[in-house]
């Protein structure tokens, strides 16, 4: 690791950082916090300086407001209000909670949807695994069940004859149900709840077992049921499933879902997963527009667009600057809840193709999630689309398994150079009024990526902000990038940063004091 001569402290006194995210309108029905459709739900994020977030929130509730559940990892609490409560009651609730010292944000517990598009006429057999050259990878490895793919989706029919051998047996019933809050993620209604089974089969239906179809690789599948039989799920349930999958040691987490806007809760969940070693792969969305849906749009997620069989962008697939990889998504044949097989289309189908290739790469190479992400991009194949449509290119299993990471001998899809440089500095903040601003001079003329990491005290709540392309320190209200979890572990990842000026990073105390370490890693 380099010394800290490339980081320069700027004299800077931050504001108190007491402002919070503006509240968006609540959904018209409860998304799934366990109280039925007679409640409207919000998620309250509480600073890590409070060791009992649910108890803290309860102190600020009145009348029929009810704290229903908490995620202690994210320090978030779901609060239900009566569905028929008048608007002033909701405004009073928001104002009251947002003014509490330890509350960082209040936001709706919005619903997200499975990212599946209407089905076109099915193909007679599979094509997706051949299109990504999985047979070339299988000449080396069929995969390894020690590699775990967490599928946060509808429940998976884990006794399907083409899946039962590749389910993760380290957890009872191969997962957890966050919709019904129990230990069995089996689908509630097999005729309706097929999406999770289909997604799981694309990534990891058993290979070389004389049964049905092949998945991309023989990874183990961990089922986090966060979407109901209706295909939707609440922000809190999905965030709970993501953090749980990370805690179970999932190497890859597949999110074939989306449709909600930016939320701090989901951002914190995918940040937690990435910080704990999981590669989070997410569907770009099926609106056919130049805007990538959340959670795929978070920098912590590897966003995937969908291709037709001829490797053109599928008409339904979203696209945009956040896209990192493309994969076949139209008429993908996979496992179904009748113990048979069927074909459906969507960015939901493209995403587990990438997750499956990631699992094959991990069966062959020992890689961190950041190294795996770079390797998949470096070995992708350019199919002639714009970067907004394909990112680095179409994912390629053969290249990912047969190319030594960092060798530069991939498929030519692009992924930056092989060099990196890291700079670190240690300092401290005295209290909620204190901030430090640091400037960093880029080493490379055109860096492919820069990662800014903050490691702060466990009994405080520090936040991280960054600016690129402008010669000014960010503030807590004016910034290009922010990592704002409820603790002091923050990460900002910037792809293709503007190196025309120094990068500026602000470390701000939301609450508490202590020593922190700031690390900036730049990739060629």
């Amino acid at each position: 690791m380099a010394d800290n001569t490339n980081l320069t402290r700027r004299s800077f006194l931050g504001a108190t950082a007491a402002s919070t995210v503006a509240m968006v309108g609540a959904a018209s029905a409860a998304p799934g916090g366990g109280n039925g459709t007679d409640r409207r739900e919000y998620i309250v994020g509480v600073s890590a300086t409070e060791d009992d977030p649910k108890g803290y929130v309860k102190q600020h509730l009145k009348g029929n407001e009810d704290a229903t559940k908490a995620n202690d990892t994210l320090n978030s609490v779901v609060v239900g209000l009566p569905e028929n409560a008048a608007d002033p009651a909701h405004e009073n609730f928001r104002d009251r909670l947002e003014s509490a010292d330890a509350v960082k944000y209040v936001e709706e517990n919005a619903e997200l949807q499975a990212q599946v598009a209407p089905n076109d006429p099915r193909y007679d057999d599979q094509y997706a695994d051949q299109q990504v050259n999985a047979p070339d990878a299988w000449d080396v490895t069929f995969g390894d069940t020690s590699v775990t793919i967490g599928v946060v989706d509808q429940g998976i029919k884990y006794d399907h004859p083409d899946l039962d051998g590749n389910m993760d047996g380290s957890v009872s019933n191969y997962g957890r149900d966050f919709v019904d809050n129990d230990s069995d993620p089996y689908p509630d209604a097999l005729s309706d709840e097929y999406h999770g089974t289909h997604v799981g089969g694309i990534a990891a239906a058993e290979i070389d077992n004389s049964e049905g179809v092949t998945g991309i690789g023989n990874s183990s599948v961990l089922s986090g049921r966060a979407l109901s039989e209706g295909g939707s799920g609440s922000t809190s349930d999905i965030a709970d499933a993501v953090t749980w999958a990370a805690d179970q040691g999932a190497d890859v987490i597949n999110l074939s879902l989306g449709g909600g806007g930016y939320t701090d809760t989901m951002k914190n969940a995918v940040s937690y997963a990435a910080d704990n070693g999981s590669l989070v792969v997410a569907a770009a969305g099926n609106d056919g527009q130049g805007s990538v849906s959340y959670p795929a749009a978070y920098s912590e997620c590897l966003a995937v667009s969908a291709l037709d069989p001829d490797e053109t962008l599928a008409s339904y697939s979203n696209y945009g600057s956040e896209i990192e990889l493309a994969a076949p998504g139209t008429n993908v044949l996979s496992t179904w809840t009748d113990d048979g097989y069927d074909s459906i289309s969507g960015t939901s189908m493209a995403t587990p193709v990438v997750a499956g290739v990631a699992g094959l790469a991990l069966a062959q190479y020992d890689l961190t999630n950041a190294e795996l992400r770079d390797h998949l991009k470096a070995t992708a194949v350019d199919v002639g689309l714009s970067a907004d449509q394909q990112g680095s290119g179409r994912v390629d299993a053969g290249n990912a398994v047969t190319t030594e990471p960092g060798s530069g001998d991939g498929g030519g899809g692009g992924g930056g150079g092989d060099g990196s440089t890291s700079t670190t500095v240690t300092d401290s903040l005295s209290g909620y009024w204190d901030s430090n601003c640091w400037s960093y001079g880029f080493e490379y003329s055109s860096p492919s990526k820069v990662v800014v990491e903050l490691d702060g005290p466990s009994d405080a709540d520090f936040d991280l902000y960054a600016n690129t392309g402008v010669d000014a320190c960010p503030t807590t209200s004016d910034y290009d990038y922010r990592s704002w979890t409820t603790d002091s572990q923050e990460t900002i990842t910037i792809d293709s940063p503007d190196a025309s000026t120094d990068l500026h990073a602000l470390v701000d105390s939301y609450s508490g004091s202590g020593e922190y370490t700031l690390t900036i890693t730049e990739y060629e």
Side-chain angles (χ1 to χ4, degrees):
M1 181 173 288
D3 63 30
N4 62 11
T5 56
N6 202 31
L7 270 174
T8 304
R9 169 82 172 269
R10 290 200 174 186
S11 177
F12 194 90
L13 182 63
T16 62
S19 61
T20 56
V21 172
M23 183 62 208
V24 293
S28 60
N35 287 291
T37 57
D38 60 340
R39 310 292 282 177
R40 296 174 67 181
E41 292 184 347
Y42 298 86
I43 304 173
V44 181
V46 180
S47 175
T49 52
E50 293 292 334
D51 57 10
D52 180 13
K54 190 173 183 180
Y56 179 83
V57 169
K58 282 184 174 181
Q59 297 174 29
H60 298 275
L61 300 183
K62 295 182 179 180
N64 291 327
E65 300 166 357
D66 182 26
T68 61
K69 66 174 184 175
N71 183 321
D72 292 334
T73 300
L74 300 181
N75 265 42
S76 62
V77 181
V78 175
V79 177
L81 277 68
E83 170 65 22
N84 59 359
D87 287 342
H90 290 269
E91 293 172 4
N92 176 271
F93 164 77
R94 294 195 300 266
D95 291 344
R96 186 181 346 115
L97 269 294
E98 288 175 346
S99 65
D101 290 341
V103 171
K104 297 200 73 170
Y105 65 85
V106 182
E107 59 194 14
E108 71 167 301
N109 191 14
E111 287 192 348
L112 281 73
Q113 304 289 330
Q115 293 294 314
V116 59
N119 191 22
D120 293 326
R122 64 173 292 172
Y123 283 78
D124 292 334
D125 51 18
Q126 292 177 271
Y127 77 96
D129 51 355
Q130 289 91 346
Q131 190 173 82
V132 300
N133 294 316
D136 289 349
W138 298 338
D139 287 341
V140 179
T141 178
F142 283 127
D144 192 328
T145 54
S146 67
V147 176
T148 300
I149 299 175
V151 176
V152 176
D153 207 290
Q154 289 181 327
I156 294 177
K157 189 178 190 296
Y158 47 71
D159 57 357
H160 189 289
D162 218 1
L163 280 171
D164 54 2
N166 278 353
M167 297 301 300
D168 187 344
S170 66
V171 179
S172 63
N173 297 314
Y174 315 104
R176 180 159 185 81
D177 186 341
F178 294 88
V179 179
D180 296 331
N181 193 28
D182 61 46
S183 61
D184 191 352
Y186 202 81
D188 280 1
L190 291 176
S191 61
D192 299 324
E193 195 171 342
Y194 51 79
H195 190 268
T197 301
H198 197 268
V199 166
I202 293 171
E206 295 171 61
I207 302 171
D208 200 34
N209 70 334
S210 301
E211 184 81 48
V213 299
T214 58
I216 299 297
N218 277 333
S219 300
S220 291
V221 176
L222 185 68
S223 177
R225 183 176 185 259
L227 303 182
S228 70
E229 58 270 30
S232 65
S234 69
T235 298
S236 62
D237 285 346
I238 296 166
D240 288 351
V242 169
T243 56
W244 171 84
D247 286 341
Q248 303 310 307
D251 300 287
V252 182
I253 297 177
N254 189 96
L255 300 179
S256 289
L257 48 83
Y262 180 103
T263 71
D264 285 300
T265 303
M266 192 65 70
K267 165 78 169 176
N268 293 346
V270 296
S271 292
Y272 178 84
D275 289 345
N276 283 272
S278 300
L279 176 67
V280 185
V281 185
N286 295 331
D287 305 305
Q289 64 186 20
S291 177
V292 174
S293 297
Y294 289 100
Y298 297 121
S299 61
E300 292 84 358
C301 296
L302 192 163
V304 180
S305 62
L307 301 176
D308 284 337
D310 63 359
E311 296 198 326
T312 58
L313 186 73
S315 61
Y316 54 80
S317 180
N318 289 359
Y319 55 93
S321 60
E322 295 89 355
I323 296 296
E324 295 186 47
L325 288 171
T330 300
N331 290 326
V332 179
L333 184 65
S334 184
T335 46
W336 207 254
T337 48
D338 60 1
D339 285 344
Y341 308 89
D342 208 343
S343 298
I344 52 177
S345 302
T347 53
S348 274
M349 287 59 256
T351 303
V353 172
V354 174
V357 174
L360 278 176
L362 288 176
Q364 185 68 8
Y365 304 109
D366 183 13
L367 301 170
T368 67
N369 56 349
E371 291 168 342
L372 175 61
R373 186 173 186 168
D374 288 343
H375 181 61
L376 294 177
K377 292 161 67 175
T379 55
V381 173
D382 185 348
V383 294
L385 301 176
S386 69
D388 280 1
Q389 295 175 325
Q390 68 170 357
S392 293
R394 192 256 299 136
V395 70
D396 193 281
N399 288 341
V401 167
T402 62
T403 303
E404 189 74 24
S407 68
D409 295 329
D418 300 328
S420 66
T421 180
S422 186
T423 300
T424 187
V425 66
T426 299
D427 209 318
S428 62
L429 297 176
S430 301
Y432 69 87
W433 59 87
D434 200 7
S435 298
N436 294 158
C437 185
W438 298 89
S439 61
Y440 170 81
F442 286 96
E443 297 285 351
Y444 304 122
S445 59
S446 298
S448 63
K449 179 173 65 176
V450 63
V451 180
V452 188
E453 298 172 282
L454 173 65
D455 181 10
S458 60
D459 58 352
D461 184 359
F462 291 179
D463 298 321
L464 182 63
Y465 303 80
N467 277 347
T468 59
V470 57
D471 191 18
C473 291
T475 70
T476 57
S477 59
D478 186 6
Y479 53 85
D480 291 336
Y481 304 92
R482 177 180 72 172
S483 182
W484 201 58
T485 68
T486 54
D487 58 25
S488 299
Q489 309 303 308
E490 311 290 351
T491 302
I492 292 173
T493 300
I494 306 170
D495 288 318
S496 302
D498 185 341
S500 63
T501 67
D502 288 355
L503 178 148
H504 297 86
L506 177 73
V507 181
D508 178 81
S509 170
Y510 182 89
S511 181
S513 61
E515 187 175 88
Y516 67 84
T517 298
L518 181 68
T519 302
I520 298 179
T521 304
E522 180 185 355
Y523 296 86
E524 190 175 11

